[in-house]
């Protein structure tokens, strides 16, 4: 046992298998984190959409029938028919804007999955630094043998 190994006698194949398994686990964890964040934000968006649909349905279906009934009821109290219809219309507009404001506030809270994006960027940075740079072994060995750097021809003393 050499002093540099300190009891860790794994082969290159075992090290590669271990690195592959850990990289695979990291990718699976990144995907799980992204799914969890997207699910949470999708729930917020769904709630906001549901409130908006309810607001639009209330406006679309209730305005004609409710307006006529309420305006006739106000007219029966002694107000002119024109003003009765204006009051009812204003009430429905108020309801619509309140519900649309609630939906808008929910939509504004929807965010992109920040933690997943940050984690993926960090992982990509680590993997970029870990990439091996291809080198030509033959040209490097030849250069060492000739005493020159790779890519420059050896000088001969033929003049």
């Amino acid at each position: 046992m050499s002093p540099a190994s300190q009891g860790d006698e794994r082969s290159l194949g075992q090290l590669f298998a271990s690195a592959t398994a850990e990289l695979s686990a990291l990718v699976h964890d990144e995907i799980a984190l992204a799914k969890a964040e997207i699910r949470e934000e999708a729930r917020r968006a769904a709630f906001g959409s549901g409130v908006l649909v309810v607001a639009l349905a209330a406006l679309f279906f209730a305005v004609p029938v409710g307006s006529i009934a309420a305006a006739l009821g106000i007219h029966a109290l002694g107000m002119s028919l024109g003003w009765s219809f204006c009051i009812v219309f204003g009430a429905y507009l108020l309801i619509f804007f309140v519900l649309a404001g609630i939906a808008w506030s929910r939509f504004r809270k929807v965010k992109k999955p920040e933690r997943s994006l940050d984690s993926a960027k960090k992982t990509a940075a680590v993997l970029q630094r870990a990439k091996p740079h291809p080198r030509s072994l033959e040209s490097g060995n030849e250069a060492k043998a000739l005493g020159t750097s790779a890519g420059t021809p050896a000088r001969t003393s033929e003049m």
Side-chain angles (χ1 to χ4, degrees):
M1 187 184 304
S2 68
S5 68
Q6 297 176 355
D8 192 10
E9 295 291 328
R10 298 191 301 179
S11 69
L12 183 60
Q14 290 170 332
L15 290 172
F16 184 75
S18 175
T20 304
E22 289 177 15
L23 183 61
S24 176
L26 176 65
V27 169
H28 286 291
D29 290 345
E30 294 283 342
I31 291 171
L33 176 62
K35 282 181 182 180
E37 281 187 302
I38 290 171
R39 252 187 241 118
E40 182 180 326
E41 297 302 323
R43 283 188 194 119
R44 286 185 184 155
F47 181 80
S49 297
V51 170
L52 185 60
V53 167
V54 169
L56 292 174
L59 183 67
F60 185 75
F61 292 116
V63 167
V65 175
S67 295
I68 293 170
L72 291 176
I74 293 172
H75 178 65
L77 294 174
M79 187 160 296
S80 72
L81 193 58
W83 283 111
S84 298
F85 275 100
C86 285
I87 291 171
V88 170
F89 178 70
Y92 282 121
L93 278 180
L94 180 66
I95 291 169
F96 170 75
F97 284 121
V98 166
L99 291 175
I102 291 170
W104 179 253
S105 70
R106 287 294 187 153
F107 281 132
R108 288 181 50 193
K109 290 181 181 177
V110 174
K111 302 173 201 158
K112 58 185 175 183
E114 294 288 338
R115 292 180 294 177
S116 295
L117 291 174
D118 289 342
S119 181
K121 285 178 185 176
K122 288 177 185 175
T123 301
V126 167
L127 291 177
Q128 279 183 339
R129 287 191 302 263
K131 281 186 180 177
H133 296 286
R135 295 182 185 148
S136 175
L137 294 177
E138 293 177 5
S139 64
N141 290 337
E142 290 171 3
K144 285 181 184 176
L146 296 174
T148 62
S149 62
T152 59
R155 293 185 186 174
T156 58
S157 57
E158 294 178 22
M159 287 208 192

